[in-house]
Amino acid sequence: MTLVDTPATTTGGPALTQERRLVTAIPGPRSQELMNRKAAAVAAGVGHTLPISVVAAGGGVVVDADGNSLIDLGSGIAVTGVGNSAPRVVEAVSAQLNAFTHTCFTVSPYEGYVAVAEKLNELTPGDHEKRSALFNSGAEAVENAIKIARHYTKKQAVVAFDHAYHGRTNLTMGLTAKNIPYKNGFGPFAPEVYRAPLSYPFRDGGLDGREAAARAITMIEKQIGAENLAAIIIEPIQGEGGFIVPAAGFLPALVEWAQANDVVFIADEVQTGFARTGAWFASEHEGIVPDVIVTAKGIAGGLPLSAVTGRAEIMDSAMAGGLGGTYAGSPIACAAALATIETYEQDGLVERAKEIGSVLIGRLNALRTADPRIGDVRGRGAMVAIELVDPATGAPDAALTNKVAKFAHEHGVILLTCGTYGNVIRFLPPLTISDELLVEGLGVIAEGLKQA
Ligand SMILES: *Cc1c(COP(=O)(O)O)cnc(C)c1O
């Protein structure tokens, strides 16, 4: 076993050799040692996709304690769009650490928070007057978006969609569709949450976007009533639910209906936001302007931060003191967010996401032509997935999906699965990955499919 040196750069981030390198089996002995300690110390409910012991990460690789270097096709679930330990983020966070670490923004404020809010108001879709509020996690921001919508409309019901994922807190579990593992045994869930049918082109029997929206709206009108409905919340492209891109026209029809009925339209862009889909926000692909937009994952280069951004009249409805949190909008996370946003802008990462998308879609479509088990290739920018099926029946093939993911892990590729039926392989590489590594990673997956 050889451990390769990873010299630190002046900006702090490790200058890692951008290569897939296996020097032990995955997981190796040091990773296994950590997993043994973990099993005795950490709650079993906290699981792992790939049980390695990470010591460094950057560019397009993650390095473990055994000296293996893995190709990162997950970005810690769409978080490190700018890469791990991105130089500007390291610098900004270090400076903030040396200045002050915490005051609580609602006790004594600081500029970073305000600057992040200004940036969010500028970058999110729509040129109306906006306000933002910052939080720590995606789920916390979703909860606050619902709080705000209820306060503003003075109504209570909330509609989420089939296959939705909005988090793990009580309200967001209720909004999330999938039972195992997210909800099973964790109820009761919050009241006044309803579920509407989605547009899922691969499994919708040819419904177009407008027809799928009409189906959802009829259900909402008949079973809830617009006069009781505070908000519709939807991911413009569903994440955990299977990277489902709704048919064109679905989202605009929902937005139109919501606006005509005093219902707040909330776009959960926690996974799709910040350059990931080849636009700043996925709402842009459909030309929609959400009333409220929720962001998190890609916002701060790996530091915990989330945000709710929306129309000023909606966001300003809650009284002073009604929104906040001890750590919400931490100065360190805000410094990271400003440096992260600057990195997306300065390094052309929106464009880079599009290029990554062309490589992914091109190669995956080529694989699909030769392999009918790949039922669908879909996604936008650097958020792409394949849905694996039984070619004879179209039935979801979760077993095949797990085999391919296991093969990828054993061969040094961090690969995530998703989907209500567990049969979707998703690609979420950092936007700093090289084409060479990306193509090599795809080659491993192709080989995994062949051997499965
Ligand atoms: C990950 C995710 C969340 C929850 O974010 P956390 O930071 O894990 O609480 C909410 N919505 C979507 C669409 C997500 O992908």
Side-chain angles (χ1 to χ4, degrees), residues 77-79 136-142 164-169 172 176 233-240 268-272 294 296-297 305-306 383 426:
I77 320 189
V79 169
N136 299 289
S137 70
E140 191 186 0
V142 168
Y165 182 86
H166 298 291
R168 298 173 179 275
T169 57
T172 59
T176 291
I233 182 164
I234 189 165
E235 303 151 80
I237 300 174
Q238 284 191 323
E240 309 302 302
D268 179 347
E269 292 236 24
V270 168
Q271 192 154 157
T272 50
V294 182
K297 292 190 166 100
L305 187 72
S306 63
M383 181 172 184
R426 58 172 152 174

Side-chain angles (χ1 to χ4, degrees), residues 398-423:
L400 172 63
T401 307
N402 289 333
K403 270 188 213 158
V404 175
K406 186 161 179 280
F407 182 93
H409 299 164
E410 287 168 356
H411 291 80
V413 179
I414 300 179
L415 186 66
L416 308 176
T417 61
C418 64
T420 298
Y421 314 110
N423 69 322

Side-chain angles (χ1 to χ4, degrees), residues 21-242:
R21 180 182 69 237
L22 295 178
V23 294
T24 70
I26 304 276
R30 289 187 188 180
S31 292
Q32 264 161 3
E33 211 177 286
L34 182 67
M35 286 307 108
N36 294 341
R37 277 173 61 195
K38 184 259 175 180
V42 180
V46 183
H48 311 286
T49 302
L50 184 43
I52 55 172
S53 171
V54 176
V55 295
V61 297
V62 172
V63 176
D64 75 12
D66 295 292
N68 300 298
S69 172
L70 292 86
I71 298 176
D72 183 7
L73 297 185
S75 303
I77 320 189
V79 169
T80 52
V82 293
N84 258 286
S85 300
R88 288 184 190 85
V89 175
V90 171
E91 204 173 334
V93 166
S94 308
Q96 183 59 50
L97 278 172
N98 285 309
F100 64 96
T101 49
H102 176 82
T103 62
C104 189
F105 187 73
T106 55
V107 173
S108 39
Y110 37 87
E111 196 216 344
Y113 187 118
V114 177
V116 171
E118 288 168 348
K119 213 62 195 157
L120 287 164
N121 298 348
E122 172 200 323
L123 288 172
T124 49
D127 48 19
H128 51 278
E129 198 171 339
K130 294 176 207 158
R131 303 280 187 271
S132 290
L134 305 183
F135 302 97
N136 299 289
S137 70
E140 191 186 0
V142 168
E143 293 245 1
N144 277 279
I146 305 282
K147 268 171 72 170
I148 292 164
R150 284 177 167 159
H151 196 276
Y152 172 72
T153 59
K154 302 188 174 60
K155 299 190 279 186
Q156 295 188 348
V158 178
V159 161
F161 284 79
D162 285 334
H163 313 288
Y165 182 86
H166 298 291
R168 298 173 179 275
T169 57
N170 185 266
L171 176 60
T172 59
M173 269 193 296
L175 294 168
T176 291
K178 192 172 177 175
N179 178 40
I180 289 180
Y182 304 125
K183 302 169 75 169
N184 197 38
F186 294 142
F189 303 112
E192 289 307 311
V193 171
Y194 300 87
R195 195 164 309 285
L198 185 73
S199 163
Y200 187 166
F202 181 62
R203 297 193 175 274
D204 251 359
L207 271 195
D208 70 24
R210 291 267 154 189
E211 291 163 341
R215 177 176 66 178
I217 288 165
T218 303
M219 175 266 154
I220 292 168
E221 286 179 339
K222 297 301 167 201
Q223 297 184 28
I224 307 158
E227 62 271 38
N228 301 308
L229 185 60
I232 286 178
I233 182 164
I234 189 165
E235 303 151 80
I237 300 174
Q238 284 191 323
E240 309 302 302

